[in-house]
Amino acid sequence: MGKGLFISKTVGVVCVVLAAGAVATIIALSVVYSQEKSKNADVEPTSGGTSTAQPTAQPTEPPSNEPWDKYRLPDSLEPEFYTLTLWPRLQKNTDGLYVFTGKSTVRFRCKKETNLILIHSNKLELSLLDNQLARLSAVSDPSPPRIQKSWLQQETQYLVLQLTDVLKADQIYELYTEFQGELADDLGGFYRSVYTEDGVEKVIATTQMQPTDARKAFPCFDEPAMKAIFNITLIHDQNTVALSNSNVLDEFNTTEEGIDVTKTTFHPTERMSTYLLAFIVCEFDFENRMEGDVMIRIFARKKAIEAGQAEYALNKTGPILKFFEEYYNSSYPLEKSDQIALPDFNAGAMENWGLITYRETALLYDPAVSSNGNKERIATIIAHELAHMWFGNLVTLKWWNDLWLNEGFASYVEYLGADYAEPTWNVKDLIVLGDMHRVFAIDALASSHPLSSKEEDIQKPAEIAELFDAISYSKGACVLRMLSNFLTEPIFLKGLQSYLNAFAFGNTVYTDLWDHLQAAVDSSGMALPNNKKVHDIMNPWILQMGFPVVTIDTSSGTLTQKHFLLDPESTPSDFIWDVPIQWMKTGDEKPYTWLHQKEELNDQMRITAEEWLVANVNVTGYYRVNYDDKNWDNLLNQLNQISRKLPFFQTFYVIVFNHNFSNSRANIVPTTRALQTTSYLSKERNYMAWESALDNLDYFYLMFDRSEIYGLLQAYTRRQVTPLFNYFKTITDTWTKDPDGHTEQYNEVNALRMACSSGLTECNELVQNWYKEWMTSPDSNPIRPNLRSTVYCSAIAAGGEEEWNFGWQRLKEAAIAIEADKLRAALACTTKPWLLNRYLEFTLNATQIRKQDATSTIVYIANNVVGQPLAWDFVRTNWQYIFQEYGGGSFSFANLINGVTKRFSTPFDLKQLEQFKEENANIGFGSGTLAVEQSIERTKANIAWVNKNREVVKSWLESELSY
Ligand SMILES: *[C@@H]1O[C@H](CO)[C@@H](O)[C@H](O)[C@H]1NC(C)=O
Ligand SMILES: *[C@@H]1O[C@H](CO)[C@@H](O)[C@H](O)[C@H]1NC(C)=O
Ligand SMILES: *[C@@H]1O[C@H](CO)[C@@H](O)[C@H](O)[C@H]1NC(C)=O
Ligand SMILES: *[C@@H]1O[C@H](CO)[C@@H](O)[C@H](O)[C@H]1NC(C)=O
Ligand SMILES: [Zn+2]
């Protein structure tokens, strides 16, 4: 899946949210499972034949040892082929429900004799066939057994069939089912999405199978290693288009049950996993183009196609596909590549093979409305999904415990694909901000977890869903980037290509990739340090949680490492890593140095009084660096001569900043030293430097924005940012045109956002006037697209009901989701508690806020210092309701919990949080379980930090401001 909901950072008092660009995002996870009952799909167990006993809904406890109480399929059966017909009804039935009906035949091979068939089926109502829930027939066995007893096992989501006799090894059988399910608005399985066009409500039937919801669309062996070929037919209204993974084979008009319909049959798919299937029926239009032999189509609402919103995606898909064909040295495995923008979609995008689904904001672009960040997001997410067409789809991990390799890989190479499509943007550098620094914040907690999980620990759907987190995506990406870097790209690619070639259409475990990389290393003649293998070097990064902080003492030349933990009180582990260190002394690049032990000596790393040394130069290593005082002083001295003397890349700044701040939070360097690194900012114009500094200052705001220190922080920020504000005012001819360059454009937004939020009068007057101008003529928005998020937010924060209502009206009428999203974030910026409370209520009403947007809206509100306690009360009060109603696919509980608790820094906050955990233990936290623990740990660390630093920060700011 693509990176999901956008939960952005907050900066300063105004909770600015840039739903824009990977830079401002955290990965969010999406599919969340609750065991709630669907409205109409609970099927009572049926007995047949000679049996009368009916195992009804099984109590969860105590666990039994029956095969149907285990979450994993037995290894006795293996599917080969499905023939599936589905008919979604886009009108309500007489019970007021949207439903679909279907028929499916699965042909399977028996590998081990068994008298039991287990096949996944969830929330489907199965028809009785000869008094059983399925019909069994033999393809090769001359005397097949009959079904003796059949029932649905709700907890483990199986259709269970007990047979009169055994299925014989190496024989082939077929199982036929007929069923009905609800086409609910729950964003999982086969579901419905709704939009309005020309005043008419339109319903779409669409799918999201990953990870475990194919079983909600039809009975299937729903595990990634159970690959099969699918013959799919969709029955649909004659005015609609039907899409699936492969091309249309045949299409004709007919009648079914007296209704005029079209029957569309698709070519057999390639051999593939169930979680990559997709079926869509809609009234969309498309734009298309050939790239070599591959047909590329972008589907969207008719109005969006008419307005040209698909053009950017169409322009970029071909080149990105071509890039990956070369990168993987493997031609695109399918005949067509469809991509479709859906009004209701839970994650960011989903890599269904040949039919990729997206949120509208992740695919549709309009230069008159979209910012450069929106554009970057589209390019990277397309690259992410197309990367999966090989890595993930052609070659698939055997089980979900290795999800990190699939998602980490795509999250790494998305930058490479986007860089190819937009070579002037330098997006490759942005992984440091977009992934590494974000995940450092989580991976620095003692309640983090290793990349790799044990297969036996990942069983239930909720356990699988919990893996779609920042660790899998962002840490996975960083660790693979580090690996590609120290192996060098040619060797990495050689191993990767041979891995894909060896396992095409099959399944793997992560060590298979290591084996192929090792073979590439061996054949290249390259030697890894200490004669280690890829496997040995990577294991500590994969199997241990966290990351090291490397300390370089430039007077003794000693290198040391220890596990970096944000909370200085937490018990240190004795983890060590093999750390590849790229470093540079006073501008000279040095060869890789490796740190294998806790402590090593490297004489070359000593410096003279004037020299300076910097390690992890391009930030390709997944670790932090700290230095001795002398070197820090020399480095800070270099900073003050910025952009004249320092010859090297932007990311250098990032290291200095970020490492100083986080090191100070973890008590490794004094807070004042961290603060000192911001004092030169008034001279800084570089985006990476500013972004990094603001990211870190944000922590100070979160901790102090309800205290006396807030005023000082504001005055200091205002002083530092004013020159940047003036700089952009000049180069944009008084805010009338975009600056040149992708990151310059981002930095213009930073300047405006921080100047306004820190209370620079000129800035606030400027943006409020723009907004007023817009209010007087709603049809001509005078605000440049790049600036809209921040301008809307500042203006709504400064305004009252009228400004808010105007924004809400524009949101409802927005012709493109990207514009609606900007407004949705900005509406959370108001400082009026009653407006915020009303807005919170909207989040639980799908006619006001789409379910896909509910969590992120609550988190936007919590980002606002006024909204934070309201959002927390709201979540606490409504937890049970939220969990039940929004459990099935629409809520990202981890983001929600992290979002509403991130300001927590008092013993009282901690008590409330612990109480929340206790009171809701019986309801549960689903995929947010770990996030509750992480929030508690973070709160404790914050309490300690604030106690220790309140006075220090206050007096530092006072003395700094008194000059
Ligand atoms: C699947 O469809 C193809 C194309 O129509 C056909 O040749 C093949 O026999 C079908 N397979 C099965 C098992 O029905
Ligand atoms: C089916 O009928 C519809 C409506 O009359 C028509 O637009 C469509 O082209 C027909 N499709 C086929 C495959 O004949
Ligand atoms: C798509 O490419 C065409 C041809 O290069 C170009 O004219 C057009 O502006 C591009 N559209 C977008 C939205 O980038
Ligand atoms: C760092 O990146 C720059 C620019 O991409 C490159 O020229 C340089 O060789 C890299 N340095 C190292 C040590 O990899
Ligand atoms: Zn993905």
Side-chain angles (χ1 to χ4, degrees):
M1 237 178 306
K3 301 184 176 185
L5 310 168
F6 274 56
I7 307 303
S8 308
K9 62 193 176 164
T10 99
V11 180
V13 60
V14 179
C15 67
V16 171
V17 179
L18 305 169
V23 182
T25 69
I26 296 196
I27 290 144
L29 282 293
S30 23
V31 183
V32 174
Y33 287 81
S34 71
Q35 305 300 332
E36 100 274 31
K37 291 186 176 152
S38 108
K39 292 190 186 86
N40 70 343
D42 288 325
V43 179
E44 285 306 311
T46 311
S47 77
T50 55
S51 167
T52 51
Q54 299 193 359
T56 46
Q58 299 293 300
T60 341
E61 308 286 339
S64 99
N65 246 345
E66 300 292 356
W68 49 81
D69 290 319
K70 298 192 167 75
Y71 288 87
R72 294 295 303 276
L73 290 167
D75 59 2
S76 44
L77 308 176
E78 193 177 65
E80 293 188 336
F81 211 103
Y82 291 81
T83 306
L84 172 65
T85 301
L86 290 169
W87 183 8
R89 316 299 160 95
L90 305 185
Q91 295 82 29
K92 283 184 193 154
N93 67 12
T94 48
D95 298 330
L97 290 173
Y98 292 90
V99 299
F100 63 92
T101 53
K103 300 173 187 178
S104 170
T105 303
V106 52
R107 183 188 298 177
F108 61 88
R109 173 181 296 275
C110 176
K111 283 161 56 196
K112 284 187 191 158
E113 199 171 274
T114 177
N115 63 355
L116 185 71
I117 298 175
L118 294 182
I119 184 167
H120 286 107
S121 176
N122 187 27
K123 298 184 178 175
L124 294 172
E125 194 174 335
L126 295 166
S127 307
L128 287 181
L129 303 162
D130 308 329
N131 225 14
Q132 299 292 351
L133 296 175
R135 185 182 291 145
L136 179 68
S137 55
V139 175
S140 57
D141 183 355
S143 55
R146 285 180 306 109
I147 299 170
Q148 185 171 46
K149 195 167 125 189
S150 56
W151 73 92
L152 290 165
Q153 193 72 13
Q154 281 187 16
E155 175 61 27
T156 44
Q157 308 179 344
Y158 286 129
L159 164 60
V160 186
L161 306 167
Q162 280 180 330
L163 309 179
T164 52
D165 195 358
V166 291
L167 300 171
K168 296 166 202 75
D170 290 326
Q171 298 296 321
I172 294 173
Y173 302 88
E174 284 187 347
L175 189 72
Y176 175 72
T177 48
E178 290 182 7
F179 49 89
Q180 173 171 329
E182 185 182 353
L183 202 61
D185 62 347
D186 57 0
L187 310 171
F190 207 11
Y191 73 93
R192 76 174 189 274
S193 169
V194 180
Y195 64 103
T196 307
E197 197 167 73
D198 294 331
V200 181
E201 188 180 272
K202 307 273 182 181
V203 177
I204 303 165
T206 184
T207 51
Q208 168 62 39
M209 307 306 198
Q210 196 190 26
T212 56
D213 272 343
R215 63 190 71 167
K216 203 164 153 276
F218 67 106
C220 55
F221 296 95
D222 197 12
E223 293 191 358
M226 294 285 182
K227 288 193 172 183
I229 294 168
F230 297 82
N231 266 8
I232 292 162
T233 299
L234 292 174
I235 300 175
H236 53 105
D237 296 344
Q238 293 188 344
N239 59 338
T240 59
V241 187
L243 299 171
S244 187
N245 303 80
S246 45
N247 271 329
V248 172
L249 176 72
D250 189 23
E251 188 185 21
F252 58 93
N253 285 339
T254 176
T255 57
E256 284 276 327
E257 299 175 12
I259 305 169
D260 288 335
V261 292
T262 305
K263 247 187 178 175
T264 300
T265 301
F266 298 88
H267 280 280
T269 66
E270 297 293 344
R271 197 166 173 272
M272 65 184 286
S273 306
T274 47
Y275 82 87
L276 294 167
L277 289 168
F279 324 118
I280 301 178
V281 172
C282 61
E283 291 180 43
F284 282 8
D285 253 341
F286 64 93
E287 280 199 57
N288 68 316
R289 186 175 298 171
M290 293 297 288
E291 174 72 33
D293 295 337
V294 182
M295 168 63 82
I296 294 168
R297 296 187 295 185
I298 313 289
F299 284 84
R301 288 178 290 106
K302 286 181 177 158
K303 297 269 173 194
I305 295 293
E306 218 171 275
Q309 294 172 11
E311 192 179 292
Y312 181 68
L314 188 66
N315 277 0
K316 295 304 165 188
T317 299
I320 294 172
L321 262 187
K322 207 167 107 238
F323 169 80
F324 282 120
E325 289 190 324
E326 280 165 30
Y327 189 78
Y328 293 129
N329 190 24
S330 164
S331 49
Y332 178 68
L334 310 176
E335 286 175 359
K336 62 115 174 171
S337 168
D338 286 339
Q339 300 179 90
I340 185 166
L342 296 163
D344 299 279
F345 190 76
N346 198 29
M350 175 65 211
E351 70 267 21
N352 314 302
W353 218 7
L355 176 52
I356 307 174
T357 44
Y358 293 82
R359 275 188 177 221
E360 290 193 345
T361 50
L363 196 65
L364 302 181
Y365 175 84
D366 178 347
V369 176
S370 309
S371 67
N372 66 321
N374 299 142
K375 197 173 189 180
E376 181 191 312
R377 158 122 162 113
I378 293 169
T380 47
I381 206 160
I382 290 176
H384 180 108
E385 305 310 329
L386 292 180
H388 276 311
M389 298 298 115
W390 291 260
F391 200 102
N393 297 8
L394 180 64
V395 178
T396 310
L397 274 317
K398 184 164 153 267
W399 183 243
W400 298 109
N401 62 313
D402 280 340
L403 179 80
W404 70 271
L405 183 58
N406 190 24
E407 291 306 347
F409 186 85
S411 301
Y412 164 46
V413 301
E414 70 183 42
Y415 289 96
L416 310 186
D419 182 58
Y420 182 83
E422 294 287 359
T424 63
W425 288 356
N426 292 324
V427 280
K428 283 201 266 189
D429 293 341
L430 300 180
I431 191 172
V432 175
L433 297 167
D435 288 285
M436 191 173 326
H437 287 170
R438 306 230 161 258
V439 74
F440 269 170
I442 295 164
D443 208 18
L445 297 172
S447 49
S448 183
H449 63 90
L451 275 174
S452 180
S453 307
K454 290 208 185 75
E455 188 171 346
E456 59 269 25
D457 291 343
I458 306 300
Q459 299 272 322
K460 302 180 184 181
E463 289 163 352
I464 297 168
E466 206 172 348
L467 289 177
F468 288 78
D469 72 353
I471 298 288
S472 295
Y473 281 76
S474 295
K475 182 178 183 177
C478 294
V479 164
L480 291 168
R481 173 168 168 262
M482 178 168 75
L483 172 64
S484 171
N485 233 269
F486 73 72
L487 291 181
T488 71
E489 197 172 58
I491 293 178
F492 182 77
L493 286 184
K494 193 164 172 224
L496 174 67
Q497 291 163 359
S498 106
Y499 164 87
L500 290 173
N501 191 33
F503 296 103
F505 304 104
N507 292 82
T508 57
V509 292
Y510 78 87
T511 49
D512 291 327
L513 178 60
W514 294 175
D515 292 343
H516 283 260
L517 292 171
Q518 185 61 46
V521 168
D522 294 342
S523 75
S524 74
M526 176 196 207
L528 290 171
N530 291 8
N531 285 321
K532 292 203 174 193
K533 304 281 178 204
V534 171
H535 199 85
D536 306 322
I537 293 175
M538 292 312 286
N539 266 349
W541 300 98
I542 306 303
L543 303 178
Q544 296 172 161
M545 69 169 175
F547 55 88
V549 49
V550 172
T551 302
I552 301 176
D553 183 332
T554 58
S555 56
S556 61
T558 26
L559 280 171
T560 52
Q561 61 169 301
K562 74 172 194 189
H563 182 185
F564 183 92
L565 287 165
L566 205 47
D567 179 0
E569 314 277 286
S570 41
T571 332
S573 71
D574 50 13
F575 295 163
I576 56 172
W577 289 263
D578 287 306
V579 190
I581 302 177
Q582 278 184 313
W583 57 288
M584 168 180 273
K585 190 149 93 179
T586 319
D588 287 337
E589 237 179 69
K590 305 288 182 187
Y592 258 113
T593 292
W594 285 81
L595 170 59
H596 297 290
Q597 302 297 319
K598 276 217 131 41
E599 190 160 332
E600 277 167 30
L601 201 65
N602 184 328
D603 283 336
Q604 294 184 323
M605 287 186 164
R606 293 178 206 225
I607 58 170
T608 64
E610 294 77 36
E611 286 178 321
W612 46 267
L613 181 147
V614 64
N616 204 8
V617 273
N618 282 1
V619 207
T620 49
Y622 186 70
Y623 55 88
R624 292 191 185 283
V625 191
N626 189 24
Y627 307 97
D628 56 293
D629 282 346
K630 183 177 72 175
N631 191 42
W632 271 131
D633 287 340
N634 292 356
L635 282 171
L636 289 183
N637 194 24
Q638 285 299 307
L639 270 187
N640 279 309
Q641 305 162 25
I642 215 86
S643 68
R644 275 140 279 155
K645 290 273 167 63
L646 277 182
F648 52 121
F649 17 92
Q650 312 172 323
T651 41
F652 164 74
Y653 314 117
V654 179
I655 320 170
V656 175
F657 278 113
N658 203 276
H659 288 203
N660 258 323
F661 273 90
S662 303
N663 289 346
S664 99
R665 281 171 67 186
N667 256 351
I668 293 171
V669 302
T671 303
T672 46
R673 183 180 288 290
L675 285 167
Q676 267 159 22
T677 58
T678 65
S679 58
Y680 91 101
L681 278 176
S682 53
K683 288 183 266 170
E684 181 57 88
R685 303 289 175 263
N686 177 286
Y687 165 71
M688 294 288 270
W690 266 103
E691 185 63 22
S692 195
L694 295 178
D695 216 30
N696 285 303
L697 265 179
D698 181 40
Y699 182 70
F700 287 70
Y701 271 104
L702 284 176
M703 292 303 104
F704 296 128
D705 63 7
R706 293 154 298 167
S707 79
E708 55 181 337
I709 295 173
Y710 175 67
L712 295 168
L713 260 180
Q714 285 287 76
Y716 179 66
T717 305
R718 191 162 61 239
R719 188 187 79 184
Q720 297 302 78
V721 81
T722 301
L724 190 71
F725 178 84
N726 290 331
Y727 167 78
F728 278 106
K729 181 179 168 182
T730 309
I731 71 166
T732 60
D733 290 346
T734 319
W735 314 107
T736 55
K737 59 168 211 221
D738 287 337
D740 292 334
H742 189 59
T743 55
E744 276 287 277
Q745 294 180 18
Y746 281 145
N747 217 22
E748 181 196 15
V749 177
N750 277 340
L752 205 67
R753 175 168 59 109
M754 292 314 293
C756 281
S757 70
S758 65
L760 184 71
T761 315
E762 182 184 345
C763 180
N764 281 304
E765 283 174 355
L766 178 73
V767 305
Q768 283 164 39
N769 284 337
W770 282 337
Y771 197 79
K772 282 206 187 82
E773 205 182 309
W774 188 29
M775 284 175 74
T776 50
S777 57
D779 293 330
S780 63
N781 185 338
I783 307 159
R784 271 191 284 135
N786 284 352
L787 307 184
R788 287 187 182 176
S789 288
T790 195
V791 170
Y792 295 169
C793 177
S794 301
I796 287 170
E801 190 184 1
E802 204 188 334
E803 284 77 12
W804 200 96
N805 287 344
F806 176 78
W808 179 250
Q809 207 48 45
R810 299 283 77 73
L811 184 157
K812 287 281 165 195
E813 290 166 10
I816 181 164
I818 272 172
E819 178 71 5
D821 256 29
K822 288 176 183 156
L823 287 159
R824 187 166 60 81
L827 290 169
C829 298
T830 177
T831 55
K832 305 278 179 290
W834 75 274
L835 288 173
L836 289 166
N837 273 327
R838 184 176 71 178
Y839 200 26
L840 281 166
E841 295 297 332
F842 285 180
T843 63
L844 296 188
N845 177 349
T847 62
Q848 305 279 25
I849 301 279
R850 288 181 187 271
K851 279 190 175 182
Q852 62 169 9
D853 296 326
T855 340
S856 57
T857 306
I858 297 173
V859 173
Y860 290 151
I861 294 170
N863 286 348
N864 174 343
V865 61
V866 181
Q868 138 81 44
L870 309 176
W872 169 234
D873 283 347
F874 180 80
V875 168
R876 275 193 300 174
T877 310
N878 294 296
W879 184 253
Q880 179 159 15
Y881 180 78
I882 291 172
F883 196 82
Q884 281 171 3
E885 284 300 305
Y886 286 68
S890 57
F891 254 75
S892 160
F893 292 131
N895 275 334
L896 183 63
I897 289 165
N898 283 323
V900 295
T901 62
K902 68 181 173 190
R903 263 194 189 81
F904 282 11
S905 52
T906 67
F908 183 66
D909 292 334
L910 180 63
K911 213 170 119 200
Q912 288 195 346
L913 186 54
E914 283 171 337
Q915 207 176 350
F916 171 68
K917 178 183 161 188
E918 205 179 293
E919 281 170 2
N920 293 295
N922 59 329
I923 301 168
F925 303 96
S927 66
T929 310
L930 197 55
V932 174
E933 297 309 319
Q934 289 169 348
S935 297
I936 290 175
E937 185 185 345
R938 201 170 38 231
T939 305
K940 287 180 180 162
N942 288 345
I943 293 171
W945 187 88
V946 168
N947 280 339
K948 184 161 172 286
N949 288 291
R950 184 185 288 116
E951 288 310 313
V952 177
V953 172
K954 186 168 171 234
S955 55
W956 187 88
L957 287 169
E958 278 168 351
S959 77
E960 183 76 7
L961 288 166
S962 65
Y963 314 34

